Amino acid sequence: MTDAEWDQVKASMPVPAWLEGRGGRPEAYCHREMVDAVRYVVDNGAKWRATPVDLPAPRKVYDFFRRWSRHGYVRELYQRLRRLQREREGRVAEPGAGIMDAQSVDGSETCPTATRGIDGNKRRDGRKRRILTDTGGLLLEVTVTPANVHDSVAAPELIDAFMAEPGRLLKLVWADTAYQGPALADAFATHGVRVEVVKRPDGTRELVVLARRWAVERTLGWLSRTRRLNRDHERRPERS
């Protein structure tokens, strides 16, 4: 992480309880080194125990990530950075429209049978990531299900997770033809959100750039660039 990147991350990081005198054990390692180590694991696809020796001890890095994830600090950090980026682009911090899609990935032998399934359409045996992005492709929400769960069944959980936090302004979601049906529409309507399906032109088989949907497809491409996300190795879906 460059000094300029760290300045932005540091300013947006949530403050642990022990730094505010609210109890808890002080952390022994620099937060910048910890964030660098977590980024290394995700980007290179390495095991936690395979981090370089110039980074903090692997067990300490994993405990840091686990603890911050459990308390919602990782999510809070990302949400702050996402709002900051939108404001820099001249947009309001919270989006009024978004795009939804899913990505199936194979699961390794460490992925339990109870939390995986077979996506017959994509021929993947593992899990499926459900993502919601803003119109620029910035990630808003993620949920993980077995790959055999249909998109229309999993979509209400995704929108529920995003709308559960106060201050949300989402009113419209674009999606593909898998996100249809009265049950899904009713689930979205409880939050005041409307689903608009973007279809491919009739009779087309070649690659076509679809309005709005291209942004979420690009985000899925960004995720695929990190080696650890090309295959699901996690025993627990919430860490996928």
Side-chain angles (χ1 to χ4, degrees), residues 130-144:
R130 322 284 177 165
I131 71 170
L132 176 68
T133 73
D134 67 4
T135 54
L138 293 178
L139 202 61
L140 300 177
E141 190 62 64
V142 182
T143 58
V144 179

Side-chain angles (χ1 to χ4, degrees), residues 95-139:
I99 312 106
M100 184 178 292
D101 207 347
Q103 179 186 55
S104 295
V105 292
D106 288 321
S108 68
E109 69 280 359
T110 57
C111 183
T113 303
T115 60
R116 66 190 294 167
I118 297 177
D119 182 348
N121 188 34
K122 299 295 179 64
R123 299 182 182 180
R124 298 281 188 180
D125 178 8
R127 294 179 178 140
K128 185 177 286 190
R129 302 186 189 104
R130 322 284 177 165
I131 71 170
L132 176 68
T133 73
D134 67 4
T135 54
L138 293 178
L139 202 61

Side-chain angles (χ1 to χ4, degrees), residues 28-70:
Y29 289 93
C30 170
H31 285 165
R32 179 174 181 174
E33 291 181 338
M34 287 297 193
V35 173
D36 274 339
V38 172
R39 292 180 65 188
Y40 179 89
V41 170
V42 174
D43 186 52
N44 291 275
K47 298 179 180 178
W48 290 101
R49 295 178 182 177
T51 53
V53 295
D54 56 340
L55 292 173
R59 185 67 206 184
K60 296 296 184 181
V61 175
Y62 177 74
D63 287 345
F64 167 85
F65 176 74
R66 182 181 178 184
R67 181 170 62 255
W68 277 56
S69 296
R70 183 172 64 249

Side-chain angles (χ1 to χ4, degrees), residues 22-219:
R22 292 186 284 113
R25 182 177 180 179
E27 293 163 339
Y29 289 93
C30 170
H31 285 165
R32 179 174 181 174
E33 291 181 338
M34 287 297 193
V35 173
D36 274 339
V38 172
R39 292 180 65 188
Y40 179 89
V41 170
V42 174
D43 186 52
N44 291 275
K47 298 179 180 178
W48 290 101
R49 295 178 182 177
T51 53
V53 295
D54 56 340
L55 292 173
R59 185 67 206 184
K60 296 296 184 181
V61 175
Y62 177 74
D63 287 345
F64 167 85
F65 176 74
R66 182 181 178 184
R67 181 170 62 255
W68 277 56
S69 296
R70 183 172 64 249
H71 291 289
Y73 292 161
V74 174
R75 177 185 177 88
E76 185 178 345
L77 170 60
Y78 173 75
Q79 295 287 355
R80 291 181 181 183
L81 292 173
R82 189 257 301 167
R83 295 187 185 103
L84 178 62
Q85 179 60 31
R86 285 182 57 88
E87 290 172 348
R88 284 179 174 174
E89 296 171 357
R91 300 189 289 175
V92 295
E94 286 295 329
I99 312 106
M100 184 178 292
D101 207 347
Q103 179 186 55
S104 295
V105 292
D106 288 321
S108 68
E109 69 280 359
T110 57
C111 183
T113 303
T115 60
R116 66 190 294 167
I118 297 177
D119 182 348
N121 188 34
K122 299 295 179 64
R123 299 182 182 180
R124 298 281 188 180
D125 178 8
R127 294 179 178 140
K128 185 177 286 190
R129 302 186 189 104
R130 322 284 177 165
I131 71 170
L132 176 68
T133 73
D134 67 4
T135 54
L138 293 178
L139 202 61
L140 300 177
E141 190 62 64
V142 182
T143 58
V144 179
T145 69
N148 60 340
V149 177
H150 194 270
D151 293 344
S152 62
V153 175
E157 178 186 357
L158 179 62
I159 200 68
D160 287 346
F162 179 69
M163 299 299 288
E165 296 186 15
R168 300 305 194 194
L169 305 176
L170 193 67
K171 296 298 180 184
L172 173 64
V173 170
W174 287 284
D176 62 27
T177 53
Y179 296 89
Q180 299 186 81
L184 183 146
D186 291 344
F188 276 57
T190 59
H191 299 289
V193 179
R194 178 171 59 89
V195 180
E196 185 175 310
V197 175
V198 180
K199 299 181 179 180
R200 290 173 58 89
D202 294 337
T204 58
R205 290 184 175 271
E206 67 279 1
L207 177 64
V208 178
V209 177
L210 300 176
R212 301 300 181 182
R213 276 178 53 188
W214 68 267
V216 71
E217 295 290 355
R218 183 181 61 177
T219 302

Side-chain angles (χ1 to χ4, degrees), residues 3-38:
D3 290 341
E5 289 175 333
W6 172 242
D7 287 341
Q8 295 298 326
V9 171
K10 182 179 180 180
S12 299
M13 289 187 78
V15 180
W18 67 270
L19 281 177
E20 295 184 328
R22 292 186 284 113
R25 182 177 180 179
E27 293 163 339
Y29 289 93
C30 170
H31 285 165
R32 179 174 181 174
E33 291 181 338
M34 287 297 193
V35 173
D36 274 339
V38 172

